[in-house]
Amino acid sequence: MKKLMMSLVALVMLSTAASAKTMEKATKENVNAKTVTYRLPKTNTLVKVTEEIIESEGKLTRCVFVLTFLSSDDLHVVGTHTSETYTNGGCGDFFRACRQFWHV
């Protein structure tokens, strides 16, 4: 009986160690974000533009463009707009198109 209990304890410890090893192998992501604040000339509105690039090993690159509209007096968030896409290469063309569309 004692050997059976020892075997069960060893089995539980080995399975716990094996599951911990598999959990360590989560995909690593490289995140690069840039944030700039602009004042729109026609409306005098402040906008904060965040361009975020998320690269995963062996996968597509995720490009996220976030536009946050701020009030000019006390700088609270009035609204946001988020655009995102996936590419095989860089995010430069996507970010240029978003900035051109929003005139920032």
Side-chain angles (χ1 to χ4, degrees):
M1 184 72 171
K2 187 175 180 180
K3 285 185 179 183
L4 179 63
M5 285 301 287
M6 295 284 278
S7 297
L8 285 174
V9 169
L11 180 63
V12 168
M13 290 178 71
L14 286 173
S15 64
T16 304
S19 66
K21 265 189 172 179
T22 57
M23 294 179 86
E24 287 176 7
K25 294 185 179 183
T27 52
K28 295 182 181 179
E29 293 182 337
N30 182 14
V31 179
N32 182 10
K34 179 179 87 170
T35 302
V36 179
T37 303
Y38 297 98
R39 183 174 299 276
L40 297 178
K42 291 183 180 180
T43 61
N44 203 25
T45 305
L46 286 175
V47 291
K48 182 169 59 170
V49 176
T50 303
E51 298 173 346
E52 184 175 303
I53 301 169
I54 304 168
E55 296 175 349
S56 298
E57 289 179 11
K59 295 185 180 181
L60 296 173
T61 300
R62 181 176 168 209
C63 310
V64 181
F65 181 86
V66 180
L67 192 64
T68 306
F69 298 94
L70 306 169
S71 68
S72 59
D73 52 357
D74 57 1
L75 298 179
H76 68 276
V77 175
V78 176
T80 61
H81 173 77
T82 303
S83 299
E84 67 180 84
T85 191
Y86 291 87
T87 66
N88 281 328
C91 298
D93 291 337
F94 173 70
F95 291 148
R96 275 189 289 281
C98 290
R99 284 193 303 267
Q100 184 178 8
F101 179 80
W102 288 99
H103 304 288
V104 290

